[in-house]
Amino acid sequence: MTIQWFPGHMTKARRQIEEKLKLIDVVIELLDARIPLSSRNPMVDEILKDKPRLVLLNKNDLADPQVTAEWVKYFAEQGLPALPIDAANGTHLKEILPRVKQLWAHKIESQLRKGINPRAVRALIVGIPNVGKSTLINQLAGKKIAATGDKPGVTKGQQWIKVGTEMDLLDTPGILWPKFEDQMVGMRLAATGAIKEELLHLDEIALFVVKYMVQHYGTGIQERYAIQELPEDMDNIHEVIKVMEAIGRKRGAIVSGGKVDLDKASLIIIRELRAGKMGRISLEKPLR
Ligand code: GDP
């Protein structure tokens, strides 16, 4: 479920995370591997301050593995360890615990030196709506516990989930809001399903997707939709529309008179992208 964020919601969400931060040792920041920066909260550093942090690039099953590798490097350069995962299918989840422990190793060592039996490391998952927080919590818990859907106003009694004997995870995630101000960020969020498409026009999102696909995944789109020739000038909107029409035609989105139904074509394009039917696609690359 997607929530609409207003300043009051943001303040409340922030306060709730700050309350949770008091209880935990390490933050797990969940991002969408296809759009890591666009799926990131604009104030995340300020909110999390200096808590040790592990970045997880989720939905990597849908992202371009080469681009994801670039993102891992990008975050490493920022001093943030990052791990690509696929929470829905449980891929690479076993690597989370050792990474979290690494971030807390200095504390464990100092406790051991003092002769204290170290307790389990306490972690919190944070991220924007729909990034996969509940899916990941459920996977790590080994059962369905996290409520699906996001309601920043709803608080339950905090409970810990044991992830083996060495990690305790808060059962409710920290919900952060995405950045909306930048139109391109909005497009990426809408294209991947992080925000309601009703907030933007479907055809605009589809235009953005097609343009990006032609520019970065041209051969794939050509083969998939049997497009003879791709346009060269993708800044010319009429050229982009021609590609949309070709896709619509291939998928049978035709109205009477043989014209392509662009609304229907837009919906098909967005659905196929989200379902991974266009291949593994990343919609954002690190700027260097
Ligand atoms: P939350 O709002 O952050 O708690 O997100 P959810 O856990 O409810 O997940 C949102 C949607 O993303 C659901 O439809 C999940 O099935 C899907 N999802 C979560 N993780 C993955 C993943 O790794 N790969 C894919 N393809 N889908 C995922």
Side-chain angles (χ1 to χ4, degrees):
M1 198 180 95
T2 315
I3 29 179
Q4 274 213 273
W5 293 91
F6 295 106
H9 293 141
M10 295 180 190
T11 312
K12 201 162 186 176
R14 181 174 180 163
R15 210 182 315 125
Q16 283 179 351
I17 291 192
E18 282 165 352
E19 283 302 310
K20 290 174 202 263
L21 285 178
K22 292 180 194 157
L23 307 172
I24 56 114
D25 305 317
V26 172
V27 177
I28 297 173
E29 186 189 3
L30 205 53
L31 303 177
D32 187 320
R34 297 166 294 175
I35 51 165
L37 288 191
S38 295
S39 61
R40 194 167 216 208
N41 173 272
M43 293 169 73
V44 72
D45 291 337
E46 198 186 312
I47 295 171
L48 301 180
K49 301 205 174 67
D50 47 11
K51 278 280 173 191
R53 201 189 322 171
L54 172 67
V55 170
L56 296 182
L57 301 170
N58 192 35
K59 309 197 186 185
N60 191 42
D61 54 314
L62 298 172
D64 180 336
Q66 266 178 321
V67 179
T68 300
E70 284 180 43
W71 280 112
V72 170
K73 224 171 121 201
Y74 167 91
F75 285 107
E77 282 164 11
Q78 319 256 318
L80 279 172
L83 181 68
I85 62 157
D86 164 5
N89 298 304
T91 317
H92 295 301
L93 301 189
K94 291 223 160 27
E95 291 168 44
I96 297 175
L97 177 61
R99 296 294 193 101
V100 168
K101 272 170 59 189
Q102 248 170 29
L103 289 169
W104 201 236
H106 59 288
K107 268 285 159 80
I108 293 177
E109 278 158 24
S110 99
Q111 285 178 329
L112 285 172
R113 267 199 306 275
K114 289 180 198 151
I116 305 168
N117 216 0
R119 60 162 172 75
V121 51
R122 293 175 186 154
L124 166 71
I125 293 174
V126 304
I128 66 167
N130 280 319
V131 73
K133 299 179 298 299
S134 312
T135 308
L136 179 61
I137 292 175
N138 288 329
Q139 284 277 5
L140 291 173
K143 55 182 186 252
K144 192 161 173 59
I145 39 148
T148 41
D150 290 294
K151 292 191 183 67
V154 178
T155 36
K156 300 188 288 182
Q158 296 293 348
Q159 291 197 20
W160 297 97
I161 295 159
K162 289 217 158 298
V163 183
T165 54
E166 293 170 297
M167 179 161 92
D168 289 345
L169 183 69
L170 266 188
D171 70 337
T172 49
I175 301 163
L176 289 164
W177 58 96
K179 349 176 206 216
F180 300 104
E181 300 77 18
D182 180 330
Q183 207 209 347
M184 288 306 281
V185 170
M187 287 289 183
R188 293 186 198 107
L189 289 168
T192 53
I195 59 173
K196 272 193 186 149
E197 50 253 28
E198 295 95 84
L199 297 176
L200 289 158
H201 294 291
L202 267 187
D203 51 356
E204 265 187 274
I205 306 166
L207 272 174
F208 158 77
V209 170
V210 167
K211 188 172 166 182
Y212 196 90
M213 293 291 296
V214 171
Q215 284 168 332
H216 298 270
Y217 299 96
T219 324
I221 197 171
Q222 234 178 333
E223 282 170 10
R224 179 159 184 81
Y225 302 104
I227 299 170
Q228 295 289 325
E229 213 174 321
L230 290 176
E232 295 203 345
D233 180 13
M234 287 305 281
D235 286 326
N236 179 343
I237 188 167
H238 301 293
E239 297 284 304
V240 188
I241 291 174
K242 273 190 207 157
V243 180
M244 277 177 77
E245 284 174 341
I247 297 174
R249 214 169 289 118
K250 178 80 181 158
R251 288 284 175 268
I254 310 282
V255 281
S256 57
K259 272 187 75 174
V260 174
D261 180 340
L262 276 181
D263 286 337
K264 210 166 162 189
S266 299
L267 202 59
I268 292 167
I269 289 162
I270 293 164
R271 282 207 186 125
E272 295 203 359
L273 171 82
R274 287 183 187 168
K277 289 190 179 156
M278 294 184 182
R280 294 177 68 177
I281 309 290
S282 294
L283 294 174
E284 189 173 42
K285 284 185 179 186
L287 283 177
R288 292 192 180 274

